[in-house]
Amino acid sequence: LNHRPRPGLTGSPLERADHIRTDEEALAKVCGDLRARLLRLDDLDPEVDPLGALGWCSLADCPDGCELLFLGLDQGVPCFAALDEAAPSAGQGAYRVWRHLDMLDPAHAATYAAARGLIEWHRRHLHCGRCGTRTRIAKGGWSRACADCGTEQFPRVDPVVIMLAEHDGEALVGRQPRFPPDRYSALAGFVEPGESLEEAARREVLEESGIRVGRVRYQASQPWPFPGSLMIGLLGEAESTEIVVDRTELEDARWFDRDEVCAMLADRHPDGLKVPPAMAIAHHLIRAAVEG
Ligand SMILES: [Zn+2]
């Protein structure tokens, strides 16, 4: 197996420069910086050049009616994205972006993910969650403020646990009906109020597969801006082996032994079964399991 790269959508070179967001004068200065650049987007999709770099233009090209979101500084150069509040959120059904992500340089993909996640958050939080009044952008795009009741809301991510359960050299993977054909992945679900990550992961695996998990250990995490998740990758020790698939969530769940998992990672499983691509954290969990 190849050496293990980090999960995709991480490792952006952007310095987020929080001190600028909260300083009106400094914010005006970066907006007026002649080097400042605006991320080129086709709605929410990136423009990617043949070398895998993101496309940028000048702030003067910001479309009418759009607001600027200050992404941060790239080697001192202010970087922005444009927010069109009238455009809808793409939500989860955003698969056309995948072909772009495959082409993007990993660091550029991470910058894109930050911009996309921020834009998606704004599009889904245009109104105050407390009184329903339309809110306005504040802090360079890192907050929305309600002029009516004074509530300020901040860009948030939803924690999702994704866990690979292991038992006696075998790994538990499943497939959702919406997955590409023949793809299997680690089981995942949203963390609910009142749960630790470990508890959420154990509950999800039990609900979806009937497998009880004991010890859980953290492996890695990854932002997932489709539309606003943080994937928290865990490995768990299964304490039972009999699978009962929850058909409302999964099409199938199975134990795969090490040889099969290695074959899937190398894309040479005899039945053509596959694991998610290296960009996805599930790939790294599965790789970590076979590499011990
Ligand atoms: Zn309000």
Side-chain angles (χ1 to χ4, degrees):
L1 296 173
N2 300 327
H3 85 286
R4 187 189 319 159
R6 68 184 167 213
L9 310 183
T10 63
S12 168
L14 280 185
E15 180 206 333
R16 291 174 175 242
D18 181 68
H19 61 285
I20 294 177
R21 300 173 187 171
T22 49
D23 179 341
E24 287 294 327
E25 212 169 295
L27 206 49
K29 201 170 155 197
V30 288
C31 286
D33 191 321
L34 291 176
R35 301 166 305 161
R37 58 194 197 192
L38 180 71
L39 185 62
R40 292 178 67 99
L41 294 174
D42 174 12
D43 185 31
L44 278 168
D45 290 345
E47 291 193 7
V48 185
D49 79 9
L51 296 175
L54 281 171
W56 299 85
C57 55
S58 90
L59 296 195
D61 297 321
C62 186
D64 287 342
C66 285
E67 301 238 30
L68 288 174
L69 307 175
F70 175 55
L71 299 176
L73 303 171
D74 185 356
Q75 297 180 353
V77 175
C79 297
F80 293 83
L83 171 69
D84 176 1
E85 292 190 349
S89 161
Q92 283 191 310
Y95 297 114
R96 65 179 180 158
V97 76
W98 283 89
R99 66 192 158 89
H100 298 296
L101 293 179
D102 284 345
M103 288 154 46
L104 268 173
D105 171 89
H108 290 235
T111 296
Y112 166 71
R116 180 169 180 134
L118 186 59
I119 292 169
E120 281 277 36
W121 178 82
H122 280 280
R123 288 183 177 181
R124 291 178 297 124
H125 295 82
L126 297 175
H127 294 88
C128 176
R130 207 168 150 219
C131 76
T133 302
R134 181 91 179 188
T135 50
R136 291 187 60 116
I137 285 185
K139 298 200 170 86
W142 292 90
S143 142
R144 296 191 71 90
C146 175
D148 201 44
C149 76
T151 297
E152 192 175 6
Q153 40 184 359
F154 300 93
R156 294 285 187 243
V157 291
D158 300 320
V160 173
V161 281
I162 178 163
M163 178 152 82
L164 192 73
E166 302 172 272
H167 186 273
D168 200 17
E170 298 194 321
L172 176 68
V173 291
R175 56 171 280 109
Q176 297 176 17
R178 65 185 180 89
F179 284 3
D182 302 320
R183 178 177 295 175
Y184 280 78
S185 186
L187 306 186
F190 286 99
V191 180
E192 295 185 349
E195 285 182 319
S196 69
L197 298 179
E198 295 87 340
E199 288 166 342
R202 289 189 192 108
R203 173 182 56 74
E204 281 291 342
V205 171
L206 183 64
E207 283 175 4
E208 294 184 3
S209 69
I211 298 298
R212 283 196 319 278
V213 170
R215 201 171 84 105
V216 170
R217 63 186 194 277
Y218 173 80
Q219 184 70 25
S221 68
Q222 161 178 67
W224 197 250
F226 311 107
S229 297
L230 172 66
M231 307 296 287
I232 299 145
L234 305 164
L235 294 169
E237 292 175 11
E239 293 181 337
S240 68
T241 54
E242 193 182 335
I243 294 172
V244 182
V245 177
D246 173 5
R247 298 284 169 189
T248 59
E249 299 259 357
L250 296 181
E251 205 170 84
D252 188 24
R254 321 184 190 170
W255 291 105
F256 284 89
D257 67 24
R258 195 178 182 285
D259 289 346
E260 274 192 292
V261 174
C262 287
M264 289 161 88
L265 282 165
D267 207 7
R268 47 174 177 73
H269 188 281
D271 299 329
L273 303 184
K274 295 174 175 61
V275 294
M279 196 200 66
I281 192 164
H283 181 101
H284 297 263
L285 287 175
I286 292 165
R287 192 171 281 267
V290 298
E291 289 175 356

